Amino acid sequence: MASVTLEKINKVFGSTHIIKDVDLSVGEGEFVVFVGPSGCGKSTLLRLIAGLESISGGELRIGEQVVNDLPPRERGVGMVFQSYALYPHMTVYENMAFGLKLAKTAKETIDERVMATARILQLEELLHRKPKELSGGQRQRVAMGRAMAREPRILLFDEPLSNLDASLRVQMRNEIARLHHRLGSTMVYVTHDQVEAMTLADKIVVLRDGRVEQVGSPHTLYQQPATKFVAGFIGSPTMNFMPAELMEGSASGCQVRAPGLGELALPQSGDDQRPGAGLTLGVRPEHLRLAEAEGNNSFEIVNVEYLGNEVYVYLEPKAGDTLLIHRSEAPSRWKVGQRVALVPELEHVHLFDGNDKALALAKQSQAA
Amino acid sequence: MNQYQLIKLAKRVGLYALIAVVMVYAIFPFYYAVITSLKPSSELFRVDFWLSSLDFTNYVQIFTQKSFVRAIVNSIVVSLSVVFIALLLGITASYALGRVRFRGRTTVMLVILGVSMFPQVAVLSGLFEVIRSLNLYNNPGGLILSYTIFTLPFTVWVLTTFMRQLPMELEEAAIMDGATPWVTITKVFLPLMWPAMATTGLLAFIAAWNEFLFALTFTLTDSQRTVPVAIALISGGSQHELPWGPIMAASVTVTVPLVVLVMIFQRRIVSGLTAGAVKG
Ligand SMILES: Nc1ncnc2c1ncn2[C@@H]1O[C@H](COP(=O)(O)OP(=O)(O)O)[C@@H](O)[C@H]1O
Ligand SMILES: [Mg+2]
């Protein structure tokens, strides 16, 4: 178990700058998840930690040791690959023992470690099978076992569940979470699936175009997204965004007008914004209420999705072409074609400035 | 029987007739060689397609010739060495060409392919000088060297293509497990590359085993010769007699091992040759 510290880490492939000035610290025993859209550099960042890619700039420390120039085997990291990458010609036992053998570990120790790992992952029955005789979930566990057998200081996962079907994914997600509780080892996990990130992480790192967009606990990211990007990425269904105009702003709150919604008094501090500034108003589907249409506050319902326990109501927006979503407990009385008024819960509304940065809450309402 | 069934039957008959023609065309020369080798020399020029009796005098004659036995040993040594060296170099080269990113990789691949297109005759005199200066004239070493030169391009190409198809993550998993490139090649890649190695190895073996021009040019004495040359130099009792019986017996003797090898490896050869074509 060890901590990982990234200081101004950069990675350049040829002439493309992929990872840009990433600062990050992963505490001992922490479960950190890198999340972001495909191509944002999550895997690259993980591979930099693993030592599979060379670091172009910055400093990487594992524990107290600078490991920039250490090969993977000397960094004490284990990695689980997306495709599992098990050795096809070796049995489950040999797969897990391979790294230990290469490290010239004594035979009894190898046996001990492999058996212990197999017990934790419930692989004891499968030790003499070849990978092709295993199911997807079992292969996944063997891949984890292989990474764990050498007792690395840090375990790295690159989208380990993306090759599994939906139900198995939920099950394996649970197993990984329980594994982390039991072992308490430091884990860094890459996924593009925000649900995986939310459910597994102690700390989520949202990446965008090779930069860290926001770091925080799942709770923080959900409640206080620092940017519009994070707000839209975390949470499902996604947050509703509407253009809004600042009428009046002070240190204690601000008054904004959004088409359809009318004027709203919000708890964000509008101090550093000029009146008339174009803002974006964000509100999650569960923080909207629907009411009878009145005056200008009238949105058409274009689709209603019934999910059993809850209902999603899709509404035609006043601006742009992304449908607005309302979410409520089932049953719901709303029908397609109806016109309704939208009433946001003001204490749960987010505001973003012209640069998509979130406006901070005003002082006294934060205390409240 | 209606018309449809008739057409189907006709197609079937046609297919088998075609197969029969191809079979006869491909196998008849070999079959006739076997027959001839088992006839006494007195009956040699009577054309018949079935054996009336077995006569092994031709085989006895060639196997009592010391030089022929010696030639077989030479051929085995040369062919196996070529296969071994070509596979060893081929595997390591294919790792570099298939896995390591470096400037000019494509150029190297194209040069390798280009080299394999030269006809043997074109390099004969140059190679002769090389072999003489290395002191390998009239020595199986010279043959091993020259055959390897002609076998390597093909070996490297096939193995490189095959190596490229092995998933990158497999190699990275090995790196994470602490494997050096050499360990990765021998412990992870080699076991997965047997089909490709069997194919290329066998083709290298056949090429070396049957090669005539270099074998004739680069050897001088009976004791250094390989089988194809030895067979060509089998001579009869007089200048005007061609000893067909012993020649056929010798040809059959050296062909049988190849046939057996191909039979053993045929599944692997097919899977090796089609490895790139269809994704498994
Ligand atoms: N070896 C490489 N050479 C050049 N570009 C690469 C290499 N590996 C990744 N990239 C580029 O880096 C970017 C980020 O890739 P990656 O880290 O795999 O994204 P993801 O977040 O989907 O895992 C992509 O645009 C990809 O094309
Ligand atoms: Mg990735």
Side-chain angles (χ1 to χ4, degrees), chain B residues 30-66:
Chain B
F30 187 63
Y31 171 76
Y32 202 71
V34 175
I35 302 259
T36 312
S37 72
L38 291 169
K39 280 195 236 173
S41 45
S42 53
E43 287 176 26
L44 202 60
F45 293 101
R46 242 186 47 211
V47 179
D48 44 11
F49 297 104
W50 308 109
L51 268 184
S52 39
S53 63
L54 286 182
D55 179 288
F56 286 102
T57 44
N58 291 327
Y59 286 89
V60 173
Q61 189 186 336
I62 57 163
F63 275 104
T64 46
Q65 263 183 46
K66 259 227 192 71

Side-chain angles (χ1 to χ4, degrees), chain A residues 13 16 18 37-45 53 158-159 190, chain B residues 101:
Chain A
F13 283 115
T16 35
I18 301 293
S38 154
C40 68
K42 309 177 294 286
S43 299
T44 306
L45 193 55
E53 302 283 357
D158 191 353
E159 310 222 13
V190 162
Chain B
R101 265 178 269 157

Side-chain angles (χ1 to χ4, degrees), chain A residues 218-233:
Chain A
H219 184 81
T220 311
L221 260 60
Y222 194 80
Q223 301 290 336
Q224 294 149 24
T227 64
K228 186 180 161 197
F229 177 82
V230 175
F233 195 81

Side-chain angles (χ1 to χ4, degrees), chain A residues 111-180:
Chain A
D111 208 51
E112 220 169 84
R113 293 251 194 104
V114 172
M115 295 316 277
T117 313
R119 205 168 312 120
I120 294 174
L121 294 169
Q122 293 150 23
L123 291 170
E124 289 147 304
E125 314 283 301
L126 309 175
L127 284 176
H128 296 290
R129 297 221 197 143
K130 295 266 178 71
K132 65 167 179 286
E133 301 158 335
L134 302 175
S135 71
Q138 290 168 336
R139 283 181 206 177
Q140 175 60 60
R141 288 213 295 273
V142 175
M144 293 201 289
R146 180 177 60 182
M148 283 161 52
R150 283 202 307 150
E151 301 187 339
R153 297 189 286 170
I154 301 152
L155 269 176
L156 308 175
F157 299 84
D158 191 353
E159 310 222 13
L161 304 185
S162 57
N163 284 353
L164 301 177
D165 59 45
S167 67
L168 203 52
R169 204 177 306 163
V170 174
Q171 185 193 332
M172 286 310 298
R173 197 171 78 199
N174 257 297
E175 286 189 26
I176 292 178
R178 277 169 36 212
L179 195 67
H180 179 245

Side-chain angles (χ1 to χ4, degrees), chain B:
Chain B
M1 210 189 278
N2 61 28
Q3 200 183 354
Y4 177 70
Q5 280 172 320
L6 259 173
I7 292 176
K8 214 171 142 186
L9 187 75
K11 276 186 180 166
R12 205 143 246 256
V13 170
L15 177 68
Y16 281 111
L18 194 65
I19 291 177
V21 169
V22 172
M23 293 280 278
V24 168
Y25 174 68
I27 291 180
F28 180 75
F30 187 63
Y31 171 76
Y32 202 71
V34 175
I35 302 259
T36 312
S37 72
L38 291 169
K39 280 195 236 173
S41 45
S42 53
E43 287 176 26
L44 202 60
F45 293 101
R46 242 186 47 211
V47 179
D48 44 11
F49 297 104
W50 308 109
L51 268 184
S52 39
S53 63
L54 286 182
D55 179 288
F56 286 102
T57 44
N58 291 327
Y59 286 89
V60 173
Q61 189 186 336
I62 57 163
F63 275 104
T64 46
Q65 263 183 46
K66 259 227 192 71
S67 63
F68 184 73
V69 178
R70 181 68 213 227
I72 288 185
V73 173
N74 284 341
S75 267
I76 292 176
V77 169
V78 168
S79 306
L80 286 183
S81 310
V82 169
V83 170
F84 180 77
I85 296 172
L87 285 184
L88 182 72
L89 295 180
I91 281 279
T92 39
S94 68
Y95 178 77
L97 291 167
R99 282 322 175 89
V100 185
R101 265 178 269 157
F102 60 90
R103 204 179 280 266
R105 185 165 72 164
T106 321
T107 319
V108 173
M109 289 295 284
L110 289 178
V111 167
I112 288 175
L113 190 67
V115 165
S116 68
M117 292 183 182
F118 281 96
Q120 279 185 312
V121 187
V123 296
L124 192 63
S125 54
L127 206 53
F128 189 81
E129 287 305 316
V130 172
I131 282 174
R132 260 247 308 261
S133 66
L134 289 174
N135 249 338
L136 289 174
Y137 180 66
N138 197 26
N139 180 329
L143 294 184
I144 293 172
L145 178 75
S146 48
Y147 295 172
T148 307
I149 291 173
F150 272 85
T151 301
L152 257 184
F154 174 76
T155 314
V156 170
W157 260 85
V158 172
L159 293 182
T160 304
T161 318
F162 200 87
M163 181 93 70
R164 283 208 178 135
Q165 287 166 355
L166 296 176
M168 196 63 204
E169 290 196 340
L170 201 59
E171 184 181 355
E172 290 175 345
I175 294 175
M176 294 306 296
D177 269 336
T180 57
W182 179 246
V183 170
T184 308
I185 292 175
T186 53
K187 296 268 174 64
V188 178
F189 285 163
L190 264 195
L192 300 175
M193 292 187 61
W194 277 119
M197 299 201 10
T199 311
T200 46
L202 190 59
L203 293 176
F205 186 90
I206 293 174
W209 186 264
N210 287 335
E211 205 285 334
F212 180 75
L213 180 63
F214 288 170
L216 180 68
T217 317
F218 299 152
T219 55
L220 190 63
T221 58
D222 272 353
S223 65
Q224 306 299 322
R225 283 201 181 109
T226 55
V227 165
V229 183
I231 292 177
L233 297 183
I234 291 176
S235 50
S238 79
Q239 211 182 340
H240 305 288
E241 184 195 342
L242 252 187
W244 280 114
I247 288 179
M248 286 305 145
S251 306
V252 170
T253 308
V254 300
T255 313
V256 165
L258 293 189
V259 174
V260 171
L261 277 179
V262 171
M263 297 262 205
I264 292 174
F265 285 107
Q266 63 155 334
R267 263 162 196 278
R268 295 238 144 141
I269 292 176
V270 173
S271 65
L273 284 178
T274 56
V278 219
K279 257 219 141 99

Side-chain angles (χ1 to χ4, degrees), chain A residues 12 66 106 180 288 340 358:
Chain A
V12 181
V66 176
H180 179 245
L288 275 178
V340 293

